């Protein structure tokens, strides 16, 4: 999020300095290389003029002359699900150590932070300034981010809305100016990212910081529970003989429901939904307020992983010693991120059952290796992976898998069992080659 925002703002003509503690990231970025797989980032790193966008490990140097400072550090989940804001507070403290007497700064919290964090940040800044015995004007704003991995630049240039929560008119005005090219769509789109034809100008929602913080959590939880809802319906579809893909289409056309995020499958993962729903529950506990809907969304989501194991077990009978290939390891296509990836969870469950697991992913193998080590076999080629395998599980819907040659796979496998964990195939396309096809909810 930090990298995408920095790159996008520089592209829009702002002068941006990106700060990170990790020297290897700074070294890569300074050479125009992205430390993560995110479409378009490297193209823009090359396109943007050097003086517009620089990278450093030196917070003080970056902050001193800045007009606007964004904190975009991580807020990982603690063991009890609460979001850990210590990096945000540490960043705020460093910022306060670096600002100069008498100057004016806008400090923007972009990280996803629990309710009240803005107040804490403001307190941290005041304390440090007091200790330093200096005065400066620091105007705070909460500006949550809604970008998706794999589509991060698209979501930044063409957002549905921009949310600014602040009690300071100066901060609101500064952010309105900062985002003006996006709000008014006056920039020339990058060649690879044309403005979508039906795109309307995004509204700027200005509100109080607490509501802005809540908007972020509520948005992610709402999307997560939409997916869990369709997954719950998918389970019942299997029992009664309905096809959840048809059901999702049928309900998604109702404008009040909408078609997005009704893709049934092995569930949601990634760096946001799991962490943010856990953080919401933790906030609920803190305020002695039960949140059964969010809790149920998480339960259903975990059950989807187990459903895959049940399906394999019903087809293969014995999992111990079976050779199972898992296609896709990233938590979704378009990214090399495997954090909370449903695919990785499925692999782990299979290993626990004594299966022999082979894996393939077009970009996430390096990250997956850190999670799975040498307990699985890594393949570059799906057809090699399929040789003498008992079953294949499609866990991440990479476009490469859409044109799998089932005739070829059928000739290579020991048993022809295919679990379509993302419902990307028409069952008959697969069964005509002699496969047992099992989707999720069909
Ligand atoms: C999400 C939010 O969409 C974004 O607004 C927020 O800023 C960060 O969190 P991201 O985690 O990048 O973005 O991915 P997203 O595209 O939302 O997908 C999340 C998970 O849901 C993935 O594991 C995906 O496979 C799953 N998913 C998505 C489904 O299972 N079915 C769907 O229909 C859609």
């Amino acid at each position: 999020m930090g990298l995408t925002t920095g790159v996008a703002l520089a592209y829009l003509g702002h002068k941006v300095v990106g700060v990170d503690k990790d020297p290897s990231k700074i070294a890569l970025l300074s050479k125009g290389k992205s430390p993560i797989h995110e479409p378009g980032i490297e193209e823009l790193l090359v396109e943007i003029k050097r003086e517009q966008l620089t990278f450093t490990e030196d917070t003080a140097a970056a902050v001193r002359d800045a007009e606007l400072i964004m904190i975009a550090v991580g807020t990982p989940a603690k063991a009890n699900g609460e979001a850990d804001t210590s990096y945000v507070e540490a960043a705020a403290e460093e910022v306060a150590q670096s600002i100069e007497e008498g100057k004016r700064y806008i400090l923007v919290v972009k990280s996803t932070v629990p309710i009240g964090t803005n107040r804490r940040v403001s307190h941290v800044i005041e304390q440090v300034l007091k200790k330093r015995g200096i005065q400066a004007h620091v105007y705070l704003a909460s500006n949550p981010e809604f970008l998706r991995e794999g589509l991060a630049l698209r979501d930044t240039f063409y957002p549905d809305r921009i949310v600014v929560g602040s009690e300071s008119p100066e901060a609101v005005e500064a952010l309105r100016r900062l985002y003006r090219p996006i709000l008014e769509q006056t920039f020339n789109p990058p060649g690879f990212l044309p403005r979508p034809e039906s795109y309307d100008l995004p509204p700027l929602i200005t509100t109080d910081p607490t509501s802005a913080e809540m908007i972020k959590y509520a948005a992610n939880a709402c999307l997560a529970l939409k997916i869990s809802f369709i997954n719950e319906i998918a389970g019942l579809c299997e029992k009664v003989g309905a096809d959840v893909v048809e059901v999702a289409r049928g309900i998604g056309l109702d404008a009040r429901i909408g078609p997005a995020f009704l893709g049934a499958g092995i569930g949601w993962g990634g760096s946001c939904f799991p962490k943010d729903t856990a953080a919401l529950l933790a906030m609920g506990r803190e305020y002695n307020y039960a949140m059964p809907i969010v809790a149920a969304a998480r339960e259903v989501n975990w059950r989807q992983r187990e459903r895959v194991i049940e399906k394999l077990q019903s087809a293969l009978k014995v999992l111990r010693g079976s050779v199972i290939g898992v296609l896709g390891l990233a938590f979704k296509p378009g990214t090399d991120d495997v954090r909370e990836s449903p695919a990785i969870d499925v692999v782990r469950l299979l290993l626990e059952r004594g299966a022999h697991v082979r894996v393939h992913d077009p970009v996430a193998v390096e990250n997956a290796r850190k999670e799975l080590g040498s307990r699985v076999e890594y393949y570059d080629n799906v057809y090699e992976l399929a040789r003498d395998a008992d079953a294949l599980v499609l866990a991440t819907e990479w476009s490469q898998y859409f044109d799998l040659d089932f005739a070829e796979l059928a000739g290579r496998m020991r048993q022809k069992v295919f679990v379509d964990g993302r419902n990307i195939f028409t069952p008959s396309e697969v069964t005509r080659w002699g496969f047992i096809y099992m989707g999720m909810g069909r």
Side-chain angles (χ1 to χ4, degrees):
M1 184 258 281
L3 176 60
T4 303
T5 306
V7 166
L9 289 174
Y11 180 82
L12 296 178
H14 299 294
K15 194 169 170 221
V16 178
V17 183
V19 185
D20 200 284
K21 295 261 174 235
D22 181 346
S24 66
K25 285 186 187 156
I26 297 303
L28 269 176
L29 287 164
S30 303
K31 282 188 276 179
K33 295 268 166 239
S34 170
I36 53 163
H37 175 89
E38 183 60 46
I41 290 283
E42 287 197 343
E43 283 87 332
L44 289 195
L45 281 173
V46 173
E47 199 176 319
I48 294 165
K49 290 200 193 75
R50 226 156 231 288
E51 60 274 20
Q52 292 292 120
L53 179 61
T54 50
F55 297 95
T56 177
E57 287 165 66
D58 186 351
T59 310
V63 164
R64 225 172 283 132
D65 301 320
E67 290 166 57
L68 194 144
I69 301 151
M70 289 182 158
I71 297 182
V73 296
T75 49
K78 295 192 209 165
N80 64 359
E82 225 175 89
D84 179 355
T85 57
S86 58
Y87 299 117
V88 174
E89 287 173 34
E93 188 166 341
E94 263 189 66
V95 167
Q97 292 290 2
S98 312
I99 60 186
E100 293 191 337
E101 170 107 57
K103 281 201 180 167
R104 303 160 79 85
Y105 297 90
I106 311 290
L107 180 59
V108 181
V109 179
K110 279 194 90 67
S111 307
T112 301
V113 291
I115 309 305
T117 303
N118 256 267
R119 284 227 201 112
R120 271 208 60 81
V121 165
S122 152
H123 182 74
V124 168
I125 304 272
E126 265 170 39
Q127 291 292 309
V128 175
L129 292 186
K130 207 158 126 199
K131 230 189 253 164
R132 290 179 61 200
I134 66 163
Q135 291 209 324
H137 302 281
V138 182
Y139 304 106
L140 255 135
S142 164
N143 172 216
E145 184 53 64
F146 304 98
L147 57 81
R148 287 163 293 178
E149 288 182 34
L151 297 167
L153 281 169
R154 184 192 171 285
D155 288 349
T156 304
F157 286 127
Y158 312 116
D160 290 342
R161 76 304 206 184
I162 293 179
V163 174
V164 173
S166 182
E167 268 140 16
S168 143
E170 289 86 349
V172 174
E173 271 327 295
L175 282 162
R176 197 192 298 276
R177 273 200 308 278
L178 182 81
Y179 290 126
R180 184 164 290 145
I182 295 177
L183 290 167
E184 296 173 2
Q185 290 291 307
T186 46
F187 64 94
N188 277 330
F192 59 87
L193 207 59
R195 187 168 291 123
E197 258 174 38
S198 56
Y199 183 69
D200 289 330
L201 294 184
L204 176 72
I205 314 260
T206 56
T207 182
D208 60 281
T210 308
S211 300
E213 289 166 339
M214 187 62 91
I215 286 171
K216 171 71 192 197
Y217 280 108
N220 272 352
C222 189
L223 293 167
L225 64 92
K226 208 173 167 193
I227 303 166
S228 282
F229 171 75
I230 201 68
N231 280 333
E232 183 169 299
I233 294 293
L236 192 59
C237 282
E238 285 180 17
K239 301 264 181 217
V240 302
D243 183 341
V244 75
V245 176
E246 301 294 314
V247 174
R249 199 170 111 78
I251 65 171
L253 286 169
D254 185 324
R256 293 167 303 173
I257 297 174
F261 282 65
L262 285 180
I266 63 173
W268 37 267
S271 66
C272 289
F273 290 176
K275 170 174 83 69
D276 294 349
T277 49
L280 259 184
L281 291 181
M283 273 186 268
R285 280 197 301 276
E286 193 182 329
Y287 289 85
N288 196 22
Y289 182 73
M291 302 192 75
I293 295 180
V294 179
R298 289 172 58 83
E299 273 169 42
V300 169
N301 191 48
W302 180 255
R303 188 168 71 178
Q304 292 310 102
R305 274 77 154 164
E306 291 172 337
R307 302 276 301 124
V308 174
I309 311 303
E310 287 163 20
K311 282 171 196 289
L312 288 169
Q313 193 136 35
S314 75
L316 300 174
K317 306 301 176 213
V318 183
L319 286 182
R320 190 165 295 279
S322 292
V323 178
I324 297 174
V326 175
L327 307 184
L329 296 166
F331 81 95
K332 65 169 195 179
T335 175
D336 60 350
D337 196 343
V338 299
R339 283 176 287 177
E340 307 272 344
S341 170
I344 300 277
D345 288 334
V346 165
V347 170
R348 287 209 177 99
L349 289 172
L350 287 170
L351 290 172
E352 277 170 26
R353 301 297 183 95
H356 181 85
V357 184
R358 298 174 177 172
V359 297
H360 175 272
D361 190 284
V363 302
V365 165
E366 205 180 308
N367 285 336
R369 234 183 250 280
K370 293 177 204 149
E371 302 281 328
L372 300 170
S374 55
R375 289 180 296 155
V376 298
E377 273 189 284
Y378 299 88
Y379 281 79
D380 295 332
N381 180 299
V382 175
Y383 301 97
E384 288 299 314
L385 168 148
R387 193 180 294 283
D388 295 325
D390 294 299
L392 294 181
V393 177
L394 185 131
T396 313
E397 68 279 32
W398 283 103
S399 58
Q400 285 89 329
Y401 300 145
F402 281 69
D403 48 13
L404 278 182
D405 182 344
F406 283 98
E408 179 68 28
L409 291 173
R412 290 175 176 238
M413 290 173 66
R414 187 159 61 192
Q415 298 190 64
K416 295 191 272 296
V417 173
F418 191 86
V419 178
D420 183 358
R422 298 291 180 180
N423 289 344
I424 68 172
F425 296 106
T426 311
S428 59
E429 286 177 76
V430 186
T431 52
R432 63 186 278 232
W433 302 105
F435 278 90
I436 297 178
Y437 171 92
M438 289 179 287
M440 303 298 287
R442 21 196 359 205

